[in-house]
Amino acid sequence: MICLGIESTAHTLGIGICKNGEILANARSMYKSAKPGEGIIPRKAAEHHSEIFPTLYKQALAQAKLTPDKIGLYAFSEGPGIGACLRTACAAAKYLSAKHRKPIIGVNHCHSHIEIAKKFTGFKDPLTLYVSGGNTQILVEEKKSFHVLGETLDIGVGNLFDSFARELGLQFAHGSAIEQLALKGKYTELPYTVKGMNLAFSGLFTAVSKKIPSTSKEDLCYSLQETVYAMLCEASERALTLTGKREVMVCGGVAQNKRLQQMMGEMAKEHGAKFGVAPNEFNADNGAMIAYTGEILFSRGIRSKLKDCRPRQKYRSDEVRLRL
Ligand code: FE2
């Protein structure tokens, strides 16, 4: 089986190709705001995705050294994500599936982050901390779906970092700009909100933004990272104790942060659990993870109907059907 996967939930258009679990291509292009301080403008990001699609499609096929007739399955990220952006992957996959008379399969974006991280870590049954722009969840896999043990009660961690970076006037990519400044900072107190295994970040954003005039950028970035990652570690540790899992994994865009990896790694070690994370290329949004997950689902007998395929902006990980 050769599967072509299309990702377009937010700022990245990704087209990846997998053959029996092996990644043959992973072509990506990211929409960048025209002005510093500007977030993702859905219409412009969607324009970027549709304009770059033909180039990226050819690039992915060239990387894989394949012609279109060799593709046996088209996978696309169904959601969650930004409606206007999601439409690109869905429409393109539907068109390619109909044109080449090959099956189509919708993939949950969160699920694909988890599957690709499992591939690279070799983990079979991990406790996962999934951290990205719009999502923050602590979850485990059950027979038919995911069980969300804890999650953000307001905004995603990546959203918090992006919003704060824009307040500071930092350049994109915001997460790595904050990580760099944090290396030279010292601690200043910020609010800390963990409720069992759930978390809240919007009050923290308000508090750290209010401190901008009186505190250095370095100190604020350091303190924000330390506070957020301590919150994530505390909630994850509680989930680890509760579930007794032996593997801990971090995935999603924010999982690229070295300090988070270090703190989560130490927490896992204290409990005698293994810790793992995928390479950065596969924690950022990408098409290979969609292709890889599409292949897994298809091999389990799960099918999507062309006429039912549509973007699902609020598609939760615990709505995913993992097995028949
Ligand atoms: Fe993502």
Side-chain angles (χ1 to χ4, degrees):
M1 166 68 72
I2 299 180
C3 179
L4 182 141
I6 309 168
E7 155 60 35
S8 73
T9 52
H11 48 46
T12 298
L13 178 72
I15 304 180
I17 300 175
C18 275
K19 183 181 180 182
N20 302 325
E22 187 198 342
I23 296 163
L24 303 182
N26 192 27
R28 289 164 57 209
S29 174
M30 193 189 281
Y31 157 78
K32 291 192 181 82
S33 312
K35 298 177 238 163
E38 195 175 79
I40 300 177
I41 297 174
R43 181 178 54 79
K44 290 191 178 172
E47 275 171 18
H48 160 269
H49 296 348
S50 52
E51 276 167 21
I52 201 78
F53 190 92
T55 311
L56 220 59
Y57 176 64
K58 284 181 202 148
Q59 201 180 313
L61 288 169
Q63 269 179 23
K65 299 188 179 64
L66 291 172
T67 47
D69 57 300
K70 299 287 187 297
I71 306 297
L73 173 67
Y74 292 94
F76 71 100
S77 52
E78 268 185 298
I82 300 167
C85 300
L86 286 170
R87 280 204 287 273
T88 305
C90 182
K94 284 174 92 165
Y95 169 75
L96 290 167
S97 161
K99 181 173 186 243
H100 297 289
R101 296 171 189 275
K102 293 286 160 54
I104 188 168
I105 192 154
V107 170
N108 176 284
H109 179 86
C110 317
H111 177 203
S112 69
H113 270 299
I114 293 170
E115 289 296 353
I116 203 78
K118 278 170 74 182
K119 170 180 166 63
F120 283 101
T121 56
F123 290 173
K124 299 283 177 246
D125 182 27
L127 175 84
T128 302
L129 171 64
Y130 167 48
V131 272
S132 68
N135 303 279
T136 301
Q137 287 184 329
I138 299 161
L139 58 171
V140 290
E141 191 175 317
E142 292 187 329
K143 248 187 182 162
K144 297 253 174 172
S145 191
F146 291 102
H147 179 73
V148 178
L149 292 150
E151 63 188 314
T152 179
L153 299 172
D154 43 44
I155 56 173
V157 173
N159 193 331
L160 163 69
F161 286 136
D162 283 340
S163 303
F164 180 62
R166 287 201 296 273
E167 292 286 316
L168 285 183
L170 300 180
Q171 294 290 333
F172 200 80
H174 297 139
S176 47
I178 288 178
E179 190 172 8
Q180 286 309 307
L181 283 168
L183 294 173
K184 296 173 216 138
K186 57 184 187 313
Y187 186 72
T188 180
E189 199 170 329
L190 290 172
Y192 182 99
T193 316
V194 177
K195 299 181 180 197
M197 287 178 279
N198 292 324
L199 311 120
F201 299 107
S202 56
L204 180 54
F205 170 65
T206 308
V208 73
S209 299
K210 276 188 183 167
K211 285 197 169 196
I212 291 175
S214 60
T215 317
S216 76
K217 285 181 181 183
E218 289 80 1
D219 288 358
L220 290 178
C221 288
Y222 174 77
S223 309
L224 185 63
Q225 280 206 158
E226 293 299 302
T227 305
V228 166
Y229 297 155
M231 287 165 61
L232 292 170
C233 281
E234 182 190 329
S236 302
E237 185 170 24
R238 198 160 285 136
L240 184 62
T241 311
L242 179 77
T243 58
K245 298 285 181 195
R246 309 310 302 149
E247 300 161 338
V248 177
M249 200 171 77
V250 187
C251 67
V254 182
Q256 297 172 73
N257 185 284
K258 293 280 170 287
R259 180 64 177 142
L260 174 63
Q261 290 178 11
Q262 182 194 12
M263 288 169 76
M264 285 291 291
E266 282 169 13
M267 183 277 287
K269 196 174 165 192
E270 278 176 24
H271 290 267
K274 287 185 199 161
F275 174 76
V277 63
N280 282 352
E281 180 186 351
F282 297 99
N283 270 316
D285 288 351
N286 65 89
M289 67 182 187
I290 304 296
Y292 181 75
T293 308
E295 236 187 5
I296 291 176
L297 292 173
F298 197 81
S299 71
R300 291 178 188 163
I302 292 174
R303 302 286 182 265
S304 297
K305 283 187 186 146
L306 189 68
K307 68 174 177 60
D308 297 335
C309 289
R310 60 188 165 82
R312 296 172 67 182
Q313 274 175 271
K314 300 204 183 293
Y315 186 10
R316 283 180 58 85
S317 47
D318 46 12
E319 292 176 282
V320 172
R321 187 172 60 160
L322 289 168
R323 286 170 191 83
L324 286 174

